[in-house]
Structure formats: structure tokens, C-alpha cells
Amino acid sequence: MEVLLITGSTIEEGRLAKGGDKFKAEYTKECAACWIATVDFVTLCSPEKVKVTSKNGKHSVVVYAKCTDSVRPGNVFMPKAIWTNVVVDPDTLSTGSPLYKGAPVKIEPTEERVLSAEDIVLKVYVRGQ
Amino acid sequence: MVFKNIVCPACGAACDDIQVELGDGTIETKNACKIGNVKFKEIVSSHRLRQPLINKGGRLIPVPWDEALEKATYILTSAKRPLLFLGSEISCEAHEAGLHIGEYLGAVVDSNTSIYHGPTVMGVQEAGKVGATEGQKKNRCDLIVYWGTNPLESIPRQMSRYEVFPRGYWTKRGRFDRIIITLDPRKTLTTEASDFHVQLTPNSDYELISALLTLLHGKIPHPSVEEITGVPISAMEELLYMMKNCNFGFISIGLGLSSSIGKHRNAEIVMNFVKEINKFTKFALGVIHAHCNVAGFNQVASYMYGYPFGLDFTRGYPRFNPGEFTTVDMLREKDVDAALVVCSDLISNLPADCATYLAEIPLICLDIVPCPTTVISDIVLPGVIDAMECDGTFYRQDDVPVYFEPFTGSPFEFTKSNEDTLRQLFAKIRKTK
Amino acid sequence: MTEVILIPKRNVDIKLEADIINPDSFAGKSAEEIGNLPIWQGPRTYPLCEFFEVKVNGGSSEAETIIRIKGDASRVKRIGEGMSAGKIEIEGSAGMHLGTGMKGGEIFVSGDTDSWPAMEMIGGLLHIKGNAGDHVGCAYRGKWHGMKGGRIVIEGSARHQVGGGMDGGEIFVEGNVEGFCGIRQTGGLIIVKGRALRGVGAEMTAGTIVIGGKIERFSPGFEYMGIEEGLTLGGVELKGKFKKFIGDYAISTRAKGVLYVAVDTNTEL
């Protein structure tokens, strides 16, 4: 399913990030999440986890799915953290700041494992898996 | 022991009314928010970085301070084009020291602004900003527009301390004397606390403001704008009516405006709008900074070198061109070959292509706690917490400087502050190169 | 007639800044002298011959100098910056700031170019066979006036902010453009044959823009004036019917910018 990705802060994300708890399971639970509108969530058969893939198909990340009425159908929200940035478009339109909000991505249900912040760095960035 | 009026180093609000009770291995705070409170806990936390580390075979091993600095010096002086990323949770004095290193090395110096509010700052360069301090908002503001921001979750005390709830000189009834309008494609805690929520389509901010300006100039916007923004023209007229008829309006802009497609053009047109609406009533605009002292780097770099972020010193004089000399672009284009990251978990905030390249090149990281960036660092220098363990200056999000005094000292013998660390590093660089 | 041939010797890691690859600085010099001209990589300079093999065949003045780059120059920035005469031919792609501030002469690129080609161009011709990046013929950051004269031809597509702050001159794009084409335009002509994403002519007060394809998101500050059939602008004949708009009233109540939009592809406007 093609959707527009909006990223942003949540209070818990701020609390855990500023508290230096980026390696805690609680941080993964809060931030490795994709908030999906109810209609889209049901269309995807209410998955526990979704795989979010960038527009060019080059990068993808597995996160927990969360049903919400805070976004409109066709939009999804992810708390700003290392997971969402895996799929954020590195093109800055010559401004220096990547497209954190409103970039098209693809979401699909998955059974794959959600990686921790450390594993994203070691497995995705260092070893390019 | 109890300390009063301590400045909080967590977010751009730079609250200066925190009360801290420091015991033996314990710390209690009053007045701090959920985010600020945990920041103060870092003083006594078990995961704090307490010694310099060097990466040997994939593991971080403690080394003496001098050895770590020597290695860092070697990395920076042997690189063809190093990148210095000076994060925002350090004082302006540390920013100054870092900028001096950058100029000396002919490096590229950048800060959090680049990946967050860079487009907003570029908008200021294009259009000029009608600004106001938090005090003016508190005392005068009777209409507040939150555009693409959710301060209740990013700067929890922003509404209660400065803009919405406090009773001011001309706003004696506090919240009851104010109208709050929030524009956000998403429902958030802030939209719930607002009087009006305009749920516009993502990436349509430019068209919406452009239509408001057209209405302000007495013309009817092209009807296609209704479908593009998801907002009927009649609603735009109502919005404009409220804005024109307030006594003192204020627009707080967040990343929703400057990080969606349109970028600095979105920021530019909202600033043009504020200029134009001043023909009808008093209006000003400000930025929501979710990180502390982001404004500080802009100020320091501007008064030292004329540009607010993304400074390139390769030709011996400062140059500025976002998209060319900014962190994300330089890493994506593989245009740097070493990096120093100061108090910012940079890798968590980078798109995958840039993060992968950052993991490849030699990296020095100065930070207070282990984070994803320290995992890929070759050298980790322990950081001192500004506003708690050393004195210095922060700029609040409304560009007001706030001087802070510490309530305890640096936990290290080898450095007094991050500024001190950077100055020691600079001294070593000067000896080598 | 002098012909200077530059052949890239190796892959470039950190991008080069080569504002001296320019007929003005090559004119009247021998191969050895040209090879010793400095180019920048990071904070250091290196002789040109470190990165390029230099061959020269006769000649003396700027106007008679042709520079041929045989190979990829996509990591070489500022080629032909401020050139006043002569010709540069790049048989490959070029990096950022190609022909920035050029006053005259010609540049021909057979591949693509990165952002900022012909920034604030004054005169001359820039012809790009492939695609161009952002800020084609645009004004520098914070500046209100961009290209003043000359001509840019792009056979492929261009990205954001084409002709920003344009005062004069002509830009032709065969393919598509993205956002903010002709932003803050105060003169000159932009013709785009393909589609445009958004913000076409935003904040323009004078000058002319023609869009042949679909505009995804129309700028709301434009007022419909009527339909015109067949246009001849800048020596180019455009067939078919065009809707004429005047704007951008978002920026000024006295705006006189003209925007022509093809009728067939934009029926709903």
C-alpha cells in the first residue's frame, strides 16, 4: 500500500531519547512503530508488524503497526528515530534537510523481526544487510 | 543541597526556573517537564560515558585521555575534507571553539539546524522575519497559530510557560483571552488543546499560505486550491478574518512546514504573509525548536562568519550553500572523508544512504551517553553536561541568550567542559598542522 | 582556434572545484602552463594535470578557445564559472555550478548536470543534453535577482527552482520540471514542454512562463484571462491552445507575470 509518511516527536520518544535510553526495549517499542489510519489498518488485515519501504525500494525497515484515528487514510505517522530514518528520502531538494514529512513510502504486513537501534546500526548500516 | 533557577538543557524553551535537589547519587527536580526531568537524571545515571574509548576490532576499549585526543587529532588532520557536526546540546562557547577548528582545518562545519530547521533559516534569508520574544507573546498575544508543530509533545512547557496559559499584562485571563488555531495533517495533543484544527493535506502548506495571501490582496484564489489543500476557500476566509481581527497574532512554525515538500519556500511565504498581515494588525512569527540551543549555533556562526549553518571553509573563507555544504548532502555524495560529531546522535537522524557512509569513514564522537552514533565511532570522548556541570550560554528558541550557571562540576579531571575539550583538541591540531 | 583537450585520469573521491577550466584562463597558454593551473580538492590545491591529461592544439585568444572534456566530470564543480567567450564541450556529465555567472560563450554538456547550472547567468548559451539538477539559472541564496540574459537549453528534465528570480534571458526545458519553476521571476521567458509539479510562477511579478504539460498543483494566486491559440515566444513557435493567467497576486496586487498553460493537458484549470 502506498502512503505518505509523516514523522515527528512523541512525548515518550522525547523522554527516552533525552534520558539516554536509546538501547532500551521500551524505546524500540515506542519508536519502532507505524501509526496507520483505521481504514488502511483493516485493509492490511490488522497486522502486528509492517515493513515500510522507501520510494525507490532501496531501503526497508520492520516496525510494529499501530491503529490510530489521528492520521487520515493514506497517511501514516512514525515517531522520529533511527527506524523511520532508514526509509526517509536522502534527497534534500538542495536545502540540507531531508524529507522528514510527506515522503511517499510503501507499507506491507510482515512476519520479520523488529531490529533494535543497535542492530539497525550494526546490521543495516555497517554490514549493509 | 537545593539549587534554584537552574536552566534546563533539554529543549529550545531553555526553562530557567528549574529547582534541583542534589543528594549523594540522587537528583530530584521541580518545575521540569517529563523530558527535562530525565535529562537531569543523566547526572547520576549508570549508563553515562565516563572515560575516553577507542574502537579496537569492533569493541570500544578505554584509553587514556591524551591518547584519545592524539588519535582524534590524527584523524582530523590527515583527512582531505573533514566534517565537524556541532550538535545543539552544547553551549555557544563550545560552538565557537568548534568553528575555530573548522576554519583552521578548512573543514565543513554544520549543526542540527541543517537537518531540522535549516529551511526555516533559509526562509528568513529570503523574506526576513518579523519576530517577537516569548515575553511579548505572554503579555500581548491573543491569537496563536501553531503551524505544523506539536509543542505539547516536543516542548511540553511551551504552552504553559510562554504562549497559551500564562496570564500576561494584556492577557489577564490567560487561556481565556487567547484563540489557538493549529494547522496539522495529523490529530495531536496540541490540536486537541486548540480551539480550531485545520487538517490540511500533507505537502500543501505553500498553496494554503499563497491562497491566504491572495485573499489578503483582495483576489479570489484559483478554485483548484481547495482540492490541493483539503481546505475550502470559505474556511480560509474565516481563518483570515480571525487573524486580521486579533490584537496581536503569532505564528509558531514547526518542522511540518519546513520539512515537507516546498521546504524553504514554505517558510519564506509564511514570513511574507506575516509581513503583509501587519498592514491590518500586529503579527509576528517564531520557530519551535525541539532541541536546546539550536538557535545558538545559528547566532554564533552568523556573527563569526556571516552564515547560520553549513559553513564551508575549504577556500579559506566561509561559504554557504545548503545542498552543497550540508551534512546530509555531503554524506550522500561522499564528499567528506572523516567526521567529528559533538553531542548529537547524528546517525539516528540520517537517511540510510548517509548513515551507511558515515559508518564507513573515520568518526570521532563526543557524547554523554552511549547511543547509535557511538556504536560506529572510532573514538568516543565523554561529554560534560552543559547547564549542569559547567557554565555557558544558550539561545532560547526566540533568539534570546540565556546565561547558565552549573550546580555541580565536571565529573572528569581531564576536562572542565565540552568547550574545554574542543579547545584542547584545537591546541593539539595546531601543533600537528 | 585553440583546442584544449582534457581527459580525466582517474576517479575523483572528494569533489574538485575547477573554476579555472575556463576559456578565459586557458587562452594563450601552453599544455604545460594549463596543466599547472591550480584546482581545489578540499582545502588543498593540486595542479590540473594531477587529475586531467592536457593536450593543446594551437591558438591564442579567449574567443577562439575550445575546451573539450573527454569523459565524466560529474565530481568536478564550477567548470566555466564566469566565462566570457569561447566554448566548453563536456562529453559526459558535469558537477555543480557549471557556467555559474557566465557572461558569454557556449557550454555544451552531453550528459547530465548537478544543481546550480548557470546561476545568475548574464549572457551566452548553456546546452544540456541530459537532465539538470535544482536551481537552473537561479539566484543565489537570499538574492532577489537571478539570470539576466543568455539562453539555457535542457533537452531532458530539470528539478526545483528553475529560473528563480529571473530578470531576463530564456530557458527552454524539453522535459519536466518539479516545484517552483520561475519563482520570483521579474522578466525573461521560461518554456517547459513537459509537466510541472507545483508552484509554477510563484511570487512572479513580470516575465513569461509557458507550460506544455500538466501542472499537478496550480499556484492559487493566478487569475484566468482567456484562451490564446498559437504562441511565438523567444523565436519558438508553440502550437495548440493555451490558457492565459496573470499573477502572482499572492505576492503583489500589481503583478504582471504571464503564465500560459496548455489547454489539452490541463482541462480542469
Side-chain angles (χ1 to χ4, degrees):
Chain A
M1 180 186 288
E2 282 215 12
V3 289
L4 285 185
L5 169 67
I6 303 168
T7 73
S9 328
T10 68
I11 185 98
E12 291 303 311
E13 173 270 319
R15 181 179 69 81
L16 291 157
K18 296 276 178 192
D21 292 327
K22 288 193 176 176
F23 293 142
K24 278 198 179 160
E26 203 186 346
Y27 184 69
T28 308
K29 196 82 199 163
E30 171 67 24
C31 297
C34 182
W35 304 23
I36 306 166
T38 315
V39 179
D40 296 338
F41 189 73
V42 172
T43 314
L44 291 171
C45 304
S46 312
E48 191 199 336
K49 287 175 281 186
V50 285
K51 187 181 200 169
V52 187
T53 309
S54 62
K55 187 177 69 177
N56 58 13
K58 210 170 146 190
H59 302 285
S60 62
V61 67
V62 178
V63 293
Y64 300 107
K66 199 170 158 182
C67 182
T68 177
D69 63 350
S70 69
V71 292
R72 284 204 178 140
N75 302 343
V76 296
F77 172 78
M78 284 172 79
K80 63 163 201 232
I82 197 161
W83 293 272
T84 176
N85 285 316
V86 173
V87 292
V88 161
D89 196 336
D91 184 9
T92 71
L93 318 183
S94 293
T95 63
S97 146
L99 210 53
Y100 289 121
K101 314 220 179 209
V105 292
K106 217 172 75 187
I107 53 169
E108 58 195 328
T110 184
E111 283 305 311
E112 286 172 45
R113 201 163 61 86
V114 175
L115 296 176
S116 70
E118 194 169 7
D119 281 348
I120 294 261
V121 175
L122 293 173
K123 291 185 177 154
V124 181
Y125 293 160
V126 177
R127 264 167 257 143
Q129 283 173 11
Chain B
M1 194 158 165
V2 179
F3 300 88
K4 284 183 177 169
N5 298 334
I6 297 297
V7 177
C8 173
C11 75
C15 299
D16 53 2
D17 61 345
I18 313 295
Q19 189 175 317
V20 175
E21 194 178 340
L22 192 63
D24 186 21
T26 59
I27 187 165
E28 290 301 325
T29 57
K30 270 186 194 160
N31 294 345
C33 66
K34 219 172 180 178
I35 295 172
N37 186 43
V38 293
K39 190 81 200 175
F40 281 94
K41 291 271 189 288
E42 294 285 41
I43 286 269
V44 293
S45 79
S46 56
H47 55 230
R48 178 92 185 263
L49 288 166
R50 298 204 178 265
Q51 51 197 340
L53 305 168
I54 278 190
N55 189 326
K56 277 190 183 135
R59 287 187 57 217
L60 289 167
I61 296 163
V63 285
W65 177 249
D66 262 339
E67 192 185 330
L69 278 192
E70 294 286 348
K71 285 252 163 74
T73 305
Y74 175 76
I75 288 177
L76 290 175
T77 51
S78 57
K80 274 187 186 167
R81 191 178 202 194
L83 165 73
L84 310 187
F85 190 89
L86 306 175
S88 55
E89 280 163 24
I90 52 172
S91 63
C92 292
E93 289 79 358
H95 285 147
E96 189 193 340
L99 280 158
H100 281 308
I101 299 178
E103 186 188 6
Y104 188 83
L105 288 173
V108 178
V109 188
D110 207 356
S111 179
N112 280 35
T113 304
S114 166
I115 45 175
Y116 292 117
H117 265 298
T120 311
V121 177
M122 289 159 71
V124 177
Q125 292 173 331
E126 299 282 346
K129 185 179 100 179
V130 185
T133 61
E134 301 290 359
Q136 275 174 296
K137 289 181 227 169
K138 178 182 162 185
N139 286 314
R140 296 170 194 272
C141 223
D142 61 344
L143 176 92
I144 290 156
V145 182
Y146 286 111
W147 201 304
T149 182
N150 178 15
L152 271 182
E153 294 202 59
S154 55
I155 306 191
R157 293 185 74 205
Q158 205 264 354
M159 283 178 144
S160 58
R161 193 166 139 83
Y162 300 118
E163 265 176 35
V164 178
F165 298 103
R167 291 154 197 266
Y169 192 85
W170 280 282
T171 48
K172 291 232 159 39
R173 295 186 304 145
R175 174 69 178 87
F176 302 105
D177 276 341
R178 295 186 173 100
I179 299 173
I180 315 296
I181 304 165
T182 303
L183 291 100
D184 202 318
R186 194 161 73 85
K187 282 184 202 148
T188 62
L189 291 181
T190 308
T191 60
E192 277 171 32
S194 309
D195 299 309
F196 301 96
H197 174 205
V198 181
Q199 201 170 2
L200 76 170
T201 312
N203 298 330
S204 68
D205 308 70
Y206 189 91
E207 281 79 8
L208 180 56
I209 307 164
S210 188
L212 287 174
L213 266 167
T214 309
L215 284 167
L216 200 66
H217 288 145
K219 298 267 182 185
I220 302 294
H222 194 275
S224 64
V225 75
E226 293 192 335
E227 202 195 316
I228 294 168
T229 59
V231 182
I233 290 177
S234 57
M236 292 178 199
E237 280 170 335
E238 251 176 81
L239 186 64
L240 200 61
Y241 178 82
M242 283 196 282
M243 287 177 167
K244 274 158 78 172
N245 289 289
C246 71
N247 291 321
F248 187 108
F250 192 86
I251 302 183
S252 282
I253 60 173
L255 281 183
L257 187 71
S258 57
S259 214
S260 56
I261 296 177
K263 300 270 180 183
H264 62 300
R265 295 301 178 192
N266 294 347
E268 176 201 331
I269 195 145
V270 76
M271 287 175 205
N272 277 331
F273 175 75
V274 170
K275 280 197 288 189
E276 289 289 304
I277 202 164
N278 267 292
K279 286 175 184 162
F280 299 88
T281 182
K282 191 84 188 128
F283 235 89
L285 175 143
V287 184
I288 295 282
H289 283 306
H291 294 284
C292 182
N293 208 23
V294 180
F297 184 86
N298 305 349
Q299 297 289 337
V300 173
S302 296
Y303 82 61
M304 286 172 73
Y305 299 109
Y307 300 117
F309 67 98
L311 296 106
D312 171 64
F313 291 104
T314 51
R315 304 275 292 242
Y317 51 88
R319 291 189 300 176
F320 170 76
N321 189 14
E324 187 177 5
F325 307 129
T326 34
T327 304
V328 173
D329 301 273
M330 301 208 73
L331 290 170
R332 189 193 62 230
E333 296 290 322
K334 305 192 176 179
D335 206 10
V336 286
D337 57 353
L340 164 69
V341 174
V342 181
C343 290
S344 164
D345 181 15
L346 184 60
I347 202 166
S348 289
N349 297 300
L350 290 175
D353 291 342
C354 311
T356 310
Y357 185 65
L358 186 67
E360 273 174 38
I361 60 176
L363 176 65
I364 308 150
C365 177
L366 192 163
D367 217 320
I368 55 169
V369 288
C371 62
T373 307
T374 59
V375 173
I376 53 150
S377 298
D378 296 280
I379 298 166
V380 178
L381 303 171
V384 178
I385 309 177
D386 281 278
M388 296 188 209
E389 296 170 340
C390 61
D391 71 335
T393 313
F394 284 151
Y395 273 78
R396 206 165 65 185
Q397 57 184 357
D398 54 349
D399 297 327
V400 171
V402 178
Y403 173 73
F404 54 80
E405 281 181 300
F407 55 85
T408 177
S410 160
F412 313 117
E413 280 169 15
F414 42 79
T415 181
K416 291 199 291 286
S417 61
N418 296 328
E419 180 199 357
D420 186 22
T421 304
L422 291 172
R423 291 210 187 280
Q424 288 183 39
L425 183 63
F426 190 23
K428 284 215 188 301
I429 288 169
R430 271 211 267 212
K431 264 188 211 156
T432 323
K433 198 174 175 182
Chain C
M1 179 67 87
T2 320
E3 196 187 25
V4 182
I5 297 169
L6 301 177
I7 305 161
K9 277 183 176 171
R10 54 188 162 99
N11 287 338
V12 178
D13 48 357
I14 302 295
K15 289 184 181 181
L16 303 174
E17 285 192 15
D19 24 349
I20 48 94
I21 302 183
N22 188 326
D24 299 56
S25 52
F26 281 12
K29 290 196 173 71
S30 68
E32 203 191 334
E33 283 171 319
I34 291 172
N36 282 328
L37 289 171
I39 58 173
W40 293 81
Q41 187 180 41
R44 285 191 201 96
T45 58
Y46 298 86
L48 183 67
C49 59
E50 187 114 333
F51 295 94
F52 292 94
E53 193 183 317
V54 185
K55 288 181 189 164
V56 175
N57 310 318
S60 59
S61 78
E62 293 89 346
E64 289 172 353
T65 306
I66 294 181
I67 303 171
R68 244 184 263 285
I69 302 177
K70 288 188 175 290
D72 180 55
S74 56
R75 290 185 80 82
V76 186
K77 300 195 277 194
R78 299 185 177 273
I79 296 172
E81 179 172 336
M83 68 187 271
S84 60
K87 194 172 180 186
I88 300 177
E89 275 186 30
I90 303 169
E91 296 172 9
S93 294
M96 273 191 189
H97 300 285
L98 174 71
T100 280
M102 66 189 279
K103 301 180 202 75
E106 279 176 42
I107 300 179
F108 181 85
V109 189
S110 62
D112 303 334
T113 65
D114 207 333
S115 299
W116 299 96
M119 176 181 98
E120 295 174 16
M121 182 186 208
I122 295 164
L125 170 71
L126 171 63
H127 189 133
I128 301 163
K129 272 285 222 190
N131 302 321
D134 299 318
H135 298 277
V136 175
C138 188
Y140 177 62
R141 304 288 179 196
K143 202 171 166 192
W144 285 64
H145 297 282
M147 182 170 169
K148 289 188 174 56
R151 184 179 270 235
I152 302 173
V153 180
I154 299 166
E155 293 189 28
S157 294
R159 297 185 68 222
H160 298 265
Q161 342 260 350
V162 173
M166 187 177 187
D167 280 347
E170 289 146 7
I171 300 178
F172 300 100
V173 183
E174 282 286 335
N176 307 324
V177 293
E178 301 293 321
F180 306 103
C181 170
I183 183 158
R184 257 188 211 162
Q185 193 177 348
T186 57
L189 170 70
I190 301 175
I191 298 177
V192 178
K193 292 266 178 77
R195 63 159 193 94
L197 177 66
R198 72 188 295 205
V200 177
E203 301 172 34
M204 80 188 286
T205 48
T208 310
I209 303 177
V210 184
I211 304 287
K214 185 173 170 54
I215 299 181
E216 307 278 339
R217 292 143 169 244
F218 193 71
S219 306
F222 280 82
E223 197 172 45
Y224 179 63
M225 303 306 285
I227 288 184
E228 286 187 19
E229 194 162 356
L231 298 170
T232 308
L233 292 162
V236 181
E237 215 175 301
L238 297 154
K239 290 197 181 96
K241 284 184 184 170
F242 290 89
K243 287 182 183 173
K244 185 182 177 183
F245 293 87
I246 298 281
D248 179 358
Y249 290 116
I251 204 70
S252 165
T253 46
R254 293 186 300 274
K256 292 186 191 70
V258 180
L259 172 60
Y260 291 104
V261 182
V263 172
D264 316 343
T265 43
N266 293 284
T267 41
E268 71 286 352
L269 285 184

